[in-house]
Amino acid sequence: MVDTSLLFSIFLTAWTCSASPPNFVLLFADDLGFGDLGSYGHPSSLTPNLDRLAAGGLRFTDFYCSSPVCSPSRASLLTGRYQTRSGIYPGVLYPSSIGGLPLSETTIAEMLKPLGYATAAVGKWHLGFGSKGMYLPTNQGFDQYLGIPYSHDMGPCHNLTCFPPDIKCFGMCDFSSVAIPLMYNKVIIQQPVNFLDLERDYSDFATNFITTSTKKKQPFFLYYPSHHTHYPLYAGPDAAGISLRGPFGDALLDLDNTIGKIMTTLEKTGVINNTLVLFTSDNGPELMRMSRGGNAGLLKCGKGTTYEGGMRVPAIAFWPGTISPGVTHELASTLDVLPTFTRLAGAKLPKVILDGVDMTEILVNQGKSQREAMMFYPTDPSEKYGLFALRLGKYKAHFYTRGATHSGTTPDRDCSVFAGLKAHDPPLVFDLEADPSEHYPLSLEGKPDLQGVLERIKKVKKQFESSMVFGESQTSKGRDPSLEPCCNPDCSPKPDCCLC
Ligand code: MG
């Protein structure tokens, strides 16, 4: 019998002795649900490049983001800490928000910088803008940034064009903000942004970054949080009208095309075998958009809820020669990305309380997860209510449930905003292996084994909550319209005059 732990330590020894630390490419989709990719069962999505990553890499079935909405989920991905610690709650940040991800937090980029990594972010930031752009990526460890600093529905509708450009997008937008800006580092280079050229610009930027870093023989970290497939949907000329799935499928294909270009660049520059590519999503699908929204597959509800559909997301890890193709059912989370990259790069963990664990063993050996539990906070976490749900092993207990606007329109009445806050005592307990759809709560009566499970869940919950120190809420610091990024700062009347 092969001793996997011995193989693992040989691998790590070889690794730490190797001359070049691995590169990291972190691909982060937006509002892409568990059921949205062909590799997760969707029949009409067209994603040849993501299919290739899934076929040649490790596909996770039990991978979780830390929040069912954007900003908090992103904070956890980059810091390895629940959003309650960093203060990115309740809800999300807006263009005029005064707060942002505190600069005292250590991001993956800041953790890698001391080892000589080149770092770049391209796409949707959504961790704050703030006074003079103080919360932008270039102040959080990234050497370069090209992108839109928040969600692309946070601007006037007239900018949100689909392809062909004369067709207005379907649905609601925020009207009170400035036109959506495209930024390079801290400078607005286009306002409103041209969505139809955006993926091409992002691909060019990523190609340049990888090529330049490899020429300099510098290890790199590329973070690409895409705007796809968040609402409103758009797609450039290489994707519009091409998928079988309509506007959502076209937006997904637009993202897939960029991923294909990044993969080609990794191959051409000869670094593909020394690069970990990790793909996942920030939260579940926005079901309120109906057929123009994402899909949670067989999971219950979607964005905004603490049901599985809100927080269990697709995840694929690809690294030829190091990660063997396959599927893992191990429990893992976006929280685990920072500790894993830290381990693989030989970096030092930040000296703070981390909620993530190292998942190298899962990646390299398809081994066991160090993660025992996953915590589910609602979009508005509070010390009063604490965790809404907790998964321990294959069991998940819901202490509170609540629907969400984002998950409306589905036939399941538990998902919509009209399903108000409901306390469950005893909690609703599900076996997620037998019943991943959370359809059939287990009856604990006369079942001492299950009662024991619930006791363990309650114990883990109590321990976790007693160790949780809520950081100062950044989203409650209010808004100041003068902070909204404007390419023409002295113009009037705002926000309409912010056009360049
Ligand atoms: Mg999102």
Side-chain angles (χ1 to χ4, degrees), residues 217-230:
K217 299 200 183 309
Q218 197 175 4
F220 60 85
F221 168 42
L222 174 66
Y223 173 46
Y224 173 38
S226 177
H227 310 287
H228 293 312
T229 47
H230 193 288

Side-chain angles (χ1 to χ4, degrees), residues 28 31 120 122 125 142 150-151 159 171 187 192 199 259 289 296 301 303 366 400 409 443 446 465 483 488 497:
F28 206 45
D31 295 6
V122 56
W125 178 238
F142 292 96
Y150 37 78
S151 289
N159 298 313
V187 178
E199 289 301 312
I259 292 172
R289 306 295 179 185
C301 306
K303 182 173 178 178
Q366 291 192 17
Y400 294 96
T409 77
S443 166
E465 287 177 338
L483 296 181
N488 195 5
C497 64

Side-chain angles (χ1 to χ4, degrees), residues 1 29 54 86 90 94 118 181 211 223 256 289 293 323 334 346 350 353 376 380 421 426-427 467 480:
M1 190 175 152
S86 55
Y94 289 87
T211 309
Y223 173 46
D256 190 80
R289 306 295 179 185
I323 294 178
T334 48
I353 295 176
F376 295 73
D380 55 346
L421 180 69
S467 75
D480 174 357

Side-chain angles (χ1 to χ4, degrees), residues 4 328 330 360-369:
T4 53
T328 179
E330 291 298 310
T360 309
E361 174 66 15
I362 306 177
L363 299 180
V364 174
N365 282 328
Q366 291 192 17
K368 290 282 167 202
S369 177

Side-chain angles (χ1 to χ4, degrees), residues 88 128 147 160 207 248 271 273 351 361 369 384 399 406 409 420 439 492:
I88 306 300
L160 303 175
T207 300
F248 188 97
V271 294
N273 292 336
K351 287 187 178 130
E361 174 66 15
S369 177
K384 180 180 172 190
F399 296 86
H406 291 300
T409 77
H439 279 156
S492 170

Side-chain angles (χ1 to χ4, degrees), residues 29-32 68-71 74 124 230 281-284 303:
D30 196 349
D31 295 6
L32 184 81
V69 286
C70 291
S71 298
R74 284 152 206 271
K124 170 177 170 176
H230 193 288
S281 173
D282 70 333
N283 52 254
K303 182 173 178 178

